[in-house]
Amino acid sequence: SEKVMHPESSQAKKSQHAEEAAFYMNCRAAYLAVLKSSLENIKSKEQLRLVLQQAGRNPSQKTVNKYWTSQTTTLNFDDFCTILKEEKPATKTELLEAFRKIDKNKTGYILHDELYRILTTRGEKMTEDEVNAITEQADFNCGGKLDYNKFCDLYMTTREQCCKTARERLELDSRLKQQQFGNQTEPSSEEITLPVSKPSPRVSRKTDHKLATTKGDSRTPSRPSSAQSCKASLSTTISMAARSNKNTKLIEPDTMKEWHCAQSKGCFYLEEDGEIISHKYRLHVPQRSTVCITIKPLNIHQEEGISCHWLSVDTALYILKENETQENLQLVSFTEQQNQEMSGWKGELGSGVYWLLPFTTGCRLKKVKTQITEEAELLYRDEDGELALTPEFRAALLDIFETIDLDGNGLLCLEEYNFFELRTSGEKCDEEAWAVCKENFDMRKNELTRQGFMDLNLMEANDREGDPTDLWVTLLSLGYNKALEMTEACPFVIDIYAEKCKPRIKAMYLEAGSSQLNRAVCKSVVSKGEAKVLDGCENIIVYTYSTGGRITSVIENKSENKVIIHVNNEQSKNCLSNRGLTVFAVEVAPTSMMVAQHVMPLNEQEEWLYHCVHSLV
């Protein structure tokens, strides 16, 4: 059976790789149609609009504002690729469907007067001149009417021609064909400047890096040039065995039944831009004790047939000791040992306050666009005409309740509920509003019950007269898709066992990875990983740390100048990078270090080979 299925699996992988290669070639073609180099940044809204148009998109002002906010100063090539994955081009079917909503009589035509009224009064209002530019086109206008079938045909042809022209230009221009591509600098959330405790700000590139070309390069344009155009390089190869079902030295909790225990749940959530946020915890240890700390994905109850994607997401905890201030935290250790999906650490902690910072590489928790054939129903009318929650929506709400009930007592206190509110609405519920909830919904000991939580959501539906829009906003912010599958979140559970005292854990924040976490990741790799100096460049050091489940590389730049490091994983096998790219480039600020990438096996049941070449551009 395995032999029969293997060719199909191999063919599917080849097809997927081909699609990815084509996607990134189109990304580069569009990017380089506007900018001189893929290491150059997008510096304005207008540039962003232009590169999106070159990629066959027709972005509205709302779409541009979504990615270019008041805080945005630049966007790099990686950002652009992410945007294109999010903003799929409209299909002809979707365009025709939009026109048919206006064409009530299904004639295939829309009167110019009606078109003018709609385009100048709804949505992003167009000017009279802009509408006239459409209605004056002879190709799809006749007798005061717009033939929207012809319009859609021309629109699709023009869009494809635009993309084709950009690709042909890339093919013909050997200089562009051999340029590097990838991001020019890591987001501040992953860049750490030493010895300052804050991450370095994003650096805006003002000069174009001209790279030496290599004759005879016949690679496809979706790939950058090799290390031949770089000043110095080093290669790292690590062969990793398939995941074993055997337990490691991590002590199982059931062997510590007499120890004192504390537990808390939490969740990783994916933001729109791909950033990961999670709960952050404060741990109090009353006296010196041997402690075992574990974290693993939370296996909450699921409807039969619905996949639990998050159970394969990697999880870890970084343990930091609080000294005089929260800003001055000292790395103690991290959950290095692995036992199935659980990672853990066992050691001795002195009395005091510690911070537990959850971490995931992002290799398996990332934005994935899945085709939803049918949107799930959230509400229905019962026999009496009253609104009710569908069984599918009730099941999802029960899973959400299980996730946000951090202490696992089956009730939601105000603090737990406020984490839910902050995630879904950005606001907190105060004591007065909580008292109103107590009057209207089922509570026990001033805490909201499961039924009360259900009734709260039903009340919201009734307030909107059955419109599920706000309910979907809540579900999407909690990682659910329109099929009610949790695909962009990973609930987890933390257990702390102490031999000599009762530990106390409390969730304090729900936020993105802090500079403290990024510093901890870098320090752990530097202290435990293998250090290699780039040949002929003693100021650039690459640290590589591997466990049974992942490999992390950190680049340290000891020089007084920023450097661009080209990273090539093309020879790796059965590997999955958090970058989502096989080849990319990163910029490392002077006297700083940063995470270059995290890599995990694509298929844990097979051997995997990490072969990475770091080159100085």
Side-chain angles (χ1 to χ4, degrees):
S1 174
E2 289 180 0
K3 289 181 180 179
V4 172
M5 293 299 294
H6 180 73
E8 293 181 12
S9 175
S10 176
Q11 189 63 36
K13 287 181 180 179
K14 286 180 180 178
S15 176
Q16 183 182 356
H17 290 320
E19 287 179 9
E20 289 177 358
F23 171 76
Y24 286 112
M25 182 185 73
N26 289 332
C27 288
R28 289 195 69 223
Y31 203 83
L32 296 175
V34 177
L35 300 162
K36 294 179 180 178
S37 164
S38 50
L39 290 176
E40 186 180 346
N41 282 341
I42 299 169
K43 300 181 181 68
S44 67
K45 280 187 179 182
E46 185 55 34
Q47 275 192 338
L48 175 58
R49 186 189 300 278
L50 287 173
V51 291
L52 287 173
Q53 288 172 342
Q54 289 294 329
R57 308 308 192 262
N58 187 27
S60 63
Q61 191 60 46
K62 183 180 179 181
T63 299
V64 173
N65 290 341
K66 175 182 174 182
Y67 298 103
W68 193 283
T69 67
S70 57
Q71 284 78 41
T72 308
T73 55
T74 59
L75 292 171
N76 59 39
F77 179 77
D78 280 1
D79 297 326
F80 175 63
C81 292
T82 301
I83 292 171
L84 287 192
K85 286 180 180 178
E86 288 291 314
E87 302 300 328
K88 302 292 186 184
T91 64
K92 183 178 178 181
T93 302
E94 290 170 336
L95 290 172
L96 288 172
E97 187 178 334
F99 277 114
R100 285 167 184 155
K101 288 180 180 178
I102 303 171
D103 179 19
K104 303 294 185 184
N105 297 323
K106 304 294 184 290
T107 63
Y109 297 92
I110 297 175
L111 292 174
H112 286 173
D113 290 345
E114 177 69 4
L115 188 68
Y116 178 84
R117 183 185 65 79
I118 291 171
L119 295 181
T120 57
T121 59
R122 296 185 188 176
E124 290 190 19
K125 302 175 184 63
M126 296 175 69
T127 65
E128 183 178 347
D129 289 340
E130 288 171 333
V131 178
N132 288 338
I134 296 173
T135 58
E136 289 171 2
Q137 292 285 333
D139 293 330
F140 45 81
N141 288 284
C142 181
K145 296 183 293 187
L146 178 137
D147 184 333
Y148 58 80
N149 284 284
K150 288 183 178 180
F151 174 84
C152 290
D153 287 338
L154 185 62
Y155 176 88
M156 300 300 292
T157 303
T158 304
R159 187 175 73 189
E160 178 52 39
Q161 187 59 46
C162 185
C163 295
K164 184 179 178 183
T165 301
R167 289 194 300 268
E168 288 175 348
R169 177 176 177 269
L170 185 67
E171 284 287 348
L172 293 171
D173 195 326
S174 59
R175 176 185 62 83
L176 292 177
K177 190 174 182 178
Q178 295 193 8
Q179 276 188 359
Q180 304 264 347
F181 79 110
N183 65 341
Q184 60 127 349
T185 180
E186 272 294 289
S188 59
S189 64
E190 282 200 20
E191 183 174 328
I192 301 171
T193 304
L194 302 178
V196 183
S197 62
K198 294 181 179 179
S200 297
R202 243 173 124 132
V203 182
S204 175
R205 180 179 302 284
K206 295 184 179 179
T207 57
D208 214 12
H209 287 259
K210 295 183 178 179
L211 308 178
T213 58
T214 309
K215 293 182 179 180
D217 191 342
S218 61
R219 279 181 291 250
T220 60
S222 61
R223 299 179 183 178
S225 59
S226 69
Q228 297 175 46
S229 60
C230 303
K231 300 174 184 177
S233 66
L234 71 83
S235 174
T236 303
T237 303
I238 304 174
S239 181
M240 305 291 285
R243 176 175 172 174
S244 171
N245 292 325
K246 294 180 180 179
N247 294 343
T248 63
K249 294 180 181 179
L250 177 63
I251 296 178
E252 286 284 359
D254 59 10
T255 66
M256 299 176 285
K257 291 177 180 177
E258 304 302 319
W259 290 24
H260 303 275
C261 177
Q263 184 185 85
S264 183
K265 289 180 279 190
C267 196
F268 294 109
Y269 296 107
L270 263 180
E271 296 283 58
E272 278 298 316
D273 59 2
E275 189 174 34
I276 297 173
I277 73 168
S278 74
H279 295 82
K280 306 287 189 293
Y281 302 84
R282 204 162 184 247
L283 171 67
H284 179 240
V285 180
Q287 70 180 74
R288 179 173 293 277
S289 174
T290 301
V291 175
C292 181
I293 301 174
T294 66
I295 181 173
K296 65 179 180 180
L298 179 63
N299 191 0
I300 56 179
H301 168 73
Q302 275 286 302
E303 281 281 298
E304 189 176 344
I306 296 180
S307 61
C308 304
H309 160 78
W310 68 89
L311 292 179
S312 66
V313 172
D314 57 292
T315 58
L317 274 175
Y318 283 81
I319 307 160
L320 289 81
K321 176 76 165 65
E322 183 177 300
N323 295 319
E324 295 176 0
T325 63
Q326 288 186 22
E327 286 73 30
N328 186 22
L329 301 179
Q330 179 184 356
L331 176 65
V332 175
S333 192
F334 64 102
T335 54
E336 183 178 13
Q337 295 174 312
Q338 199 77 22
N339 187 353
Q340 301 295 327
E341 75 279 2
M342 177 192 293
S343 69
W345 173 83
K346 182 174 177 289
E348 192 169 88
L349 292 180
S351 63
V353 175
Y354 297 81
W355 285 83
L356 302 181
L357 307 183
F359 169 77
T360 183
T361 60
C363 291
R364 295 192 176 130
L365 184 60
K366 57 176 62 177
K367 288 283 180 181
V368 178
K369 279 288 183 181
T370 54
Q371 190 68 35
I372 306 299
T373 56
E374 187 177 355
E375 183 177 307
E377 294 290 335
L378 305 184
L379 306 164
Y380 72 98
R381 298 275 179 185
D382 62 19
E383 294 176 352
D384 299 323
E386 298 293 325
L387 274 178
L389 309 178
T390 63
E392 295 79 13
F393 185 33
R394 286 185 63 85
L397 287 176
L398 285 172
D399 288 345
I400 290 170
F401 186 94
E402 183 74 16
T403 301
I404 63 178
D405 175 21
L406 301 183
D407 62 9
N409 71 342
L411 301 166
L412 295 182
C413 67
L414 178 56
E415 286 183 338
E416 291 171 329
Y417 182 75
N418 271 333
F419 280 124
F420 167 77
E421 279 292 309
L422 283 170
R423 178 62 192 161
T424 57
S425 69
E427 299 176 354
K428 277 189 173 184
C429 175
D430 58 24
E431 293 285 352
E432 186 177 346
W434 193 244
V436 174
C437 283
K438 189 173 183 180
E439 294 174 5
N440 292 278
F441 304 107
D442 186 34
M443 283 204 181
R444 195 178 306 153
K445 298 179 181 178
N446 203 36
E447 295 187 331
L448 191 65
T449 65
R450 285 183 176 85
Q451 187 57 50
F453 183 66
M454 294 288 181
D455 293 340
L456 187 64
N457 281 275
L458 182 58
M459 183 203 72
E460 184 175 341
N462 277 298
D463 286 347
R464 300 294 183 270
E465 297 181 344
D467 183 352
T469 302
D470 287 352
L471 296 175
W472 275 119
V473 170
T474 295
L475 289 164
L476 294 173
S477 67
L478 295 174
Y480 284 81
N481 62 21
K482 287 298 184 80
L484 284 182
E485 300 166 330
M486 189 195 295
T487 57
E488 296 185 358
C490 173
F492 56 78
V493 59
I494 298 170
D495 288 291
I496 300 109
Y497 297 86
E499 186 179 17
K500 297 180 179 178
C501 59
K502 175 68 176 176
R504 295 197 303 274
I505 182 174
K506 183 178 182 180
M508 303 299 293
Y509 306 108
L510 179 61
E511 61 184 19
S514 63
S515 59
Q516 297 285 3
L517 175 60
N518 299 312
R519 186 179 301 107
V521 174
C522 282
K523 282 186 176 180
S524 65
V525 173
V526 169
S527 64
K528 291 181 174 288
E530 179 187 10
K532 286 185 178 181
V533 178
L534 253 68
D535 295 338
C537 193
E538 61 183 16
N539 287 325
I540 309 299
I541 305 171
V542 177
Y543 301 88
T544 306
Y545 168 73
S546 66
T547 64
R550 70 174 166 96
I551 294 173
T552 299
S553 65
V554 167
I555 302 172
E556 181 177 11
N557 175 18
K558 291 186 175 182
S559 73
E560 297 298 321
N561 302 306
K562 65 181 180 183
V563 296
I564 297 175
I565 304 297
H566 170 259
V567 183
N568 189 321
N569 298 308
E570 289 180 306
Q571 299 304 312
S572 294
K573 296 179 180 178
N574 190 30
C575 285
L576 186 65
S577 171
N578 71 308
R579 294 281 182 173
L581 298 168
T582 304
V583 185
F584 56 92
V586 294
E587 183 179 276
V588 190
T591 61
S592 72
M593 67 172 68
M594 64 177 291
V595 174
Q597 66 176 339
H598 303 288
V599 177
M600 296 186 68
L602 192 61
N603 183 345
E604 292 183 320
Q605 306 307 318
E606 297 178 3
E607 294 181 355
W608 50 297
L609 178 70
Y610 172 79
H611 182 89
C612 183
V613 179
H614 293 84
S615 308
L616 179 66
V617 176

